[in-house]
Amino acid sequence: MRLSSVLIPFAAFVAAAFLSIVAAVLSADMIEDASQRGVQSELARDGMTWADVHAEGLQVFLTGIAPTEAERFKAISAAGRVVDAARVIDNMQIEATAGIAPPRFSVEILRNEAGIQLIGLIPEASDRDRLLRELGRLDGDPEVTDFLETAAYDMPDGWQTALNYALSALEELPRSKISVETGRVAITGMSDSPEERREIEQTLRRMAPPTLELVLDISAPRPVITPFTLRFIADAGGARFDACSADSDEARDRILAAAQTAGLQTDATCTIGLGVPTPRWADAVEIALDGIDRLGGGSVTFSDADITLVALMGTDPDQFDRVVGELETSLPEVFALHSTLPTPVEEDSEAPEFTATLSPEGLLQMRGRLPNELTRTMTESYAASRFGSGGIHMAARLDETLPATWSLRVMAGLDALSHVNNGVLTVTGESVSVTGFTGDARANDDISRLLADKLDKTDHFAIDVTYLEELDPIAQLPTPEECVGKVKSVLDAQQVTFEPGSGTLDAEAEPVLDSIAEILRACEAISLKLEIQGHTDSQGREEMNQALSQTRAQSVLNALHDRRILTSGFTAVGYGETTPIADNDTEEGREANRRIEFVLIRPAEDTETEAAAAETPEETAPEDAAQEDQESADSAPQETDQDDQN
């Protein structure tokens, strides 16, 4: 009995425990199922069928691949509306997106007297050590400061080509900034003169690979004028400038206006430069030109702060004294005035004279008088250094009675004569005269500055040098339109031909390209910008014609580059069958439409003007020409399913 009384309560306790466990398990399963079904239903209602739900006890696990981060948070929020948010376990992933695009690689290279600085981002595969070594070997062993960063991405096509070109260009430019990008180099630099700027630009364009986009901004600062010179003459031949210098646009305008008041009727200009002796330069010139006008003529020469005024022969002495006196009191203090009133002299057939005659062929004959043998030897040597020793003929005799400054006048005169193509130098006891012809529009200005600097302030000189355009090598350069016109004439006579259905030039194209190369070589000095256009007929598929025309245009560009033509300003563009010039329904028309054209690329405003004037297609490139991708030529297919004659 006692055992039964113990077992029965125990058995009841065990049974109750078992029943509790069973009830707890069933309750947990019910809770899991309810949570899972509820969350799954909520996600389905929101359209998130990509998410899977799994419940374990009170925890609800979300799995699956969410399209975006926002969708993932949206799924978590939806589950939190059904069960407590603390019970939601996020095991979701985000769908893989496209790979991160490589960064834009670029380098800024700055070079000046302090050294070279490198700033930018380059591919990790770039040979950074070689780059620094090459820069350190430039003239002057510049100090190189490296601020470059690298990124672990593949080196883009065209990057190394652009970087190598930048290193070569840097050798030509001791003061510059070069910006390097993939397939593109922009150069900003300084030159000492407009002539040097043109030479640098030609050199840089000649060095550029044909696939490289090159942007040049080479500036030429204002020249330093030493001495700062101005020479104005008003005589029986009219009023004119032999030389004119100004320190600003405003000063130039004031000087030209004063000259017009003093009788100047021809077009004139002033060189704007540095080196003015005083900010009141224009004031002094205006006062001096007004004095010449009141005297009725004469000449006034400024050499820095020294002013030489020479009246005309026969000027009234009282008027001369009055004008000179007013000038001396009116001129700014820094200026010193030297005035001369010529007096009539008796003609003397035995008056000493030295002449040097320069022929168009470059032969120099010197006659007249020189003071001694040493001066004659020195004059002959100096002339040989200026004109070349092969064409010098000395026939001057000695005269010990010549003035002490005679040798100085002769040397200065020979120096002045070297600025003309052909002419005559005459040295007398009273003056130095240079006459002749030149192809340099600035020759009068240069000669005036030279004589004003080398002669005594009381010495008189006269210049009568005429500019002839046919002697000017720059003026004789062809215009861009003339160059393109000559190329068009060659193509009108015979087109550039290719192998059937291919971008490969055939044998008949070689003499045509040789003729075009000869024309373009003569036009390199004017930096032509051309678009080489490829066109086909309408036989075959349009996209194939487009690819073929691009390949053919690129083949012509490559052929010109192989002939050592400067092609950095040329672009190859294929237009396919889009711009026919004849009927594609006839064989003659299709043959005319299969063509290569050279089109001049003009500034935007010129292109708009031509479009408004309805110029011919040969003169105006299509509007989308600048946006075609030249690089497609490298990968354009050579085989097409179009007509073999295309």
Side-chain angles (χ1 to χ4, degrees):
M1 287 294 290
R2 280 185 75 177
L3 184 57
S4 300
S5 61
V6 173
L7 290 176
I8 291 173
F10 179 75
F13 178 78
V14 171
F18 177 75
L19 292 174
S20 297
I21 292 173
V22 172
V25 171
L26 293 175
S27 297
D29 290 341
M30 291 178 60
I31 292 173
E32 288 178 359
D33 291 342
S35 298
Q36 182 172 326
R37 286 195 301 272
V39 172
Q40 194 76 57
S41 177
E42 185 70 17
L43 293 174
R45 188 162 39 251
D46 289 347
M48 290 178 283
T49 56
W50 50 266
D52 294 325
V53 182
H54 174 66
E56 290 186 8
L58 296 179
Q59 293 181 325
V60 178
F61 294 87
L62 299 181
T63 59
I65 300 178
T68 64
E69 185 71 19
E71 288 292 307
R72 184 176 75 86
F73 281 112
K74 185 178 178 180
I76 295 173
S77 299
R81 292 196 295 269
V82 178
V83 299
D84 188 277
R87 296 168 52 193
V88 179
I89 306 302
D90 176 18
N91 284 339
M92 295 178 287
Q93 297 179 346
I94 307 299
E95 183 177 351
T97 58
I100 300 175
R104 174 176 167 269
F105 293 112
S106 65
V107 174
E108 297 286 338
I109 307 176
L110 308 177
R111 184 181 183 187
N112 52 35
E113 291 78 3
I116 298 175
Q117 296 83 42
L118 298 174
I119 305 171
L121 179 67
I122 63 174
E124 195 172 61
S126 295
D127 192 343
R128 186 171 184 168
D129 292 338
R130 170 184 167 273
L131 173 62
L132 298 178
R133 285 197 305 271
E134 292 291 335
L135 292 174
R137 292 171 182 167
L138 294 176
D139 290 342
D141 299 325
E143 180 181 352
V144 181
T145 305
D146 180 9
F147 294 110
L148 293 176
E149 297 182 1
T150 60
Y153 286 87
D154 293 338
M155 187 182 300
D157 293 338
W159 168 260
Q160 193 61 47
T161 298
L163 191 59
N164 290 341
Y165 174 77
L167 292 177
S168 300
L170 207 62
E171 297 179 3
E172 306 291 331
L173 298 165
R175 295 167 294 172
S176 60
K177 182 188 81 169
I178 301 181
S179 302
V180 183
E181 299 177 18
T182 301
R184 183 179 188 272
V185 175
I187 300 177
T188 302
M190 294 183 64
S191 62
D192 294 329
S193 67
E195 293 78 10
E196 184 184 18
R197 176 181 62 189
R198 286 192 293 270
E199 184 177 337
I200 290 174
E201 288 177 344
Q202 291 178 18
T203 300
L204 293 176
R205 288 194 173 96
R206 187 175 293 107
M207 292 165 48
T211 57
L212 182 70
E213 179 186 354
L214 179 61
V215 180
L216 297 180
D217 182 14
I218 309 298
S219 61
R222 291 181 176 180
V224 177
I225 302 175
T226 307
F228 215 77
T229 308
L230 181 143
R231 179 172 170 82
F232 181 79
I233 300 172
D235 55 17
R240 62 192 181 277
F241 279 108
D242 276 345
C244 182
S245 304
D247 59 325
S248 66
D249 292 336
E250 179 187 359
R252 176 197 59 198
D253 294 342
R254 290 173 57 190
I255 291 170
L256 294 178
Q260 290 173 354
T261 301
L264 179 67
Q265 296 181 347
T266 59
D267 292 335
T269 186
C270 292
T271 302
I272 299 177
L274 307 176
V276 65
T278 171
R280 297 195 61 189
W281 173 265
D283 295 337
V285 174
E286 286 178 324
I287 294 170
L289 295 185
D290 178 66
I292 292 293
D293 184 37
R294 288 192 290 152
L295 286 173
S299 68
V300 61
T301 304
F302 283 74
S303 179
D304 288 332
D306 292 311
I307 305 175
T308 301
L309 184 146
V310 180
L312 294 177
M313 188 76 70
T315 300
D316 179 54
D318 292 337
Q319 176 70 0
F320 176 79
D321 292 340
R322 182 164 52 252
V323 169
V324 170
E326 292 174 355
L327 288 177
E328 290 175 340
T329 58
S330 302
L331 287 169
E333 292 183 1
V334 68
F335 290 95
L337 176 64
H338 309 275
S339 57
T340 302
L341 177 61
T343 58
V345 295
E346 295 182 1
E347 293 187 4
D348 183 2
S349 59
E350 294 298 323
E353 183 179 89
F354 174 87
T355 61
T357 304
L358 178 64
S359 71
E361 296 77 22
L363 303 178
L364 183 69
Q365 294 186 353
M366 294 179 285
R367 292 184 173 85
R369 302 185 187 184
L370 291 172
N372 50 55
E373 184 62 36
L374 177 62
T375 301
R376 183 160 60 183
T377 302
M378 182 175 62
T379 301
E380 189 170 6
S381 299
Y382 187 73
S385 69
R386 302 299 294 177
F387 303 96
S389 58
I392 303 297
H393 176 69
M394 171 62 79
R397 65 188 180 91
L398 304 182
D399 183 352
E400 296 181 355
T401 65
L402 296 173
T405 59
W406 190 268
S407 300
L408 177 62
R409 292 182 181 183
V410 169
M411 297 300 176
L414 289 174
D415 206 354
L417 189 65
S418 68
H419 288 73
V420 303
N421 289 65
N422 59 286
V424 178
L425 163 68
T426 303
V427 179
T428 67
E430 289 76 33
S431 67
V432 175
S433 171
V434 179
T435 62
F437 300 95
T438 180
D440 183 358
R442 299 174 304 175
N444 276 285
D445 192 76
D446 293 339
I447 293 172
S448 295
R449 184 174 298 111
L450 186 152
L451 295 179
D453 182 42
K454 293 190 174 183
L455 296 180
D456 190 86
K457 304 308 176 186
T458 59
D459 287 338
H460 303 159
F461 62 87
I463 303 170
D464 184 13
V465 174
T466 303
Y467 168 76
L468 297 179
E469 186 173 299
E470 57 265 29
L471 298 177
D472 190 342
I474 296 178
Q476 298 308 305
L477 292 175
T479 65
E481 290 77 12
E482 290 173 341
C483 293
V484 174
K486 292 178 181 179
V487 173
K488 183 178 182 299
S489 297
V490 172
L491 294 175
D492 287 344
Q494 183 178 356
Q495 260 292 333
V496 178
T497 53
F498 301 83
E499 295 180 3
S502 168
T504 303
L505 294 159
D506 65 15
E508 294 182 0
E510 295 301 317
V512 179
L513 289 171
D514 289 340
S515 298
I516 293 175
E518 184 177 351
I519 294 170
L520 296 178
R521 189 172 291 110
C523 296
E524 285 186 349
I526 60 175
S527 303
L528 275 178
K529 289 189 177 296
L530 294 177
E531 183 177 85
I532 302 175
Q533 298 182 353
H535 301 274
T536 68
D537 59 29
S538 60
Q539 301 295 303
R541 290 188 296 168
E542 183 177 351
E543 59 272 17
M544 292 296 99
N545 288 336
Q546 168 64 37
L548 179 61
S549 65
Q550 177 67 47
T551 303
R552 288 179 169 179
Q554 187 66 42
S555 295
V556 173
L557 177 60
N558 293 340
L560 293 174
H561 182 70
D562 292 342
R563 286 166 170 77
R564 306 186 69 82
I565 298 301
L566 180 61
T567 59
S568 59
F570 297 0
T571 305
V573 180
Y575 289 97
E577 61 188 64
T578 60
T579 55
I581 59 174
D583 188 356
N584 274 311
D585 292 334
T586 66
E587 178 56 35
E588 293 78 8
R590 289 192 292 272
E591 183 177 358
N593 289 331
R594 298 190 293 269
R595 68 196 190 277
I596 292 292
E597 293 182 351
F598 284 70
V599 175
L600 182 64
I601 300 177
R602 295 183 174 89
E605 59 270 19
D606 293 343
T607 304
E608 293 171 2
T609 301
E610 290 176 2
E615 292 289 341
T616 58
E618 290 82 359
E619 294 175 346
T620 306
E623 293 178 357
D624 60 349
Q627 299 178 8
E628 292 289 345
D629 187 359
Q630 180 177 341
E631 294 179 0
S632 66
D634 297 333
S635 59
Q638 296 293 318
E639 299 295 333
T640 72
D641 60 357
Q642 58 196 23
D643 192 295
D644 282 346
Q645 294 299 318
N646 216 10

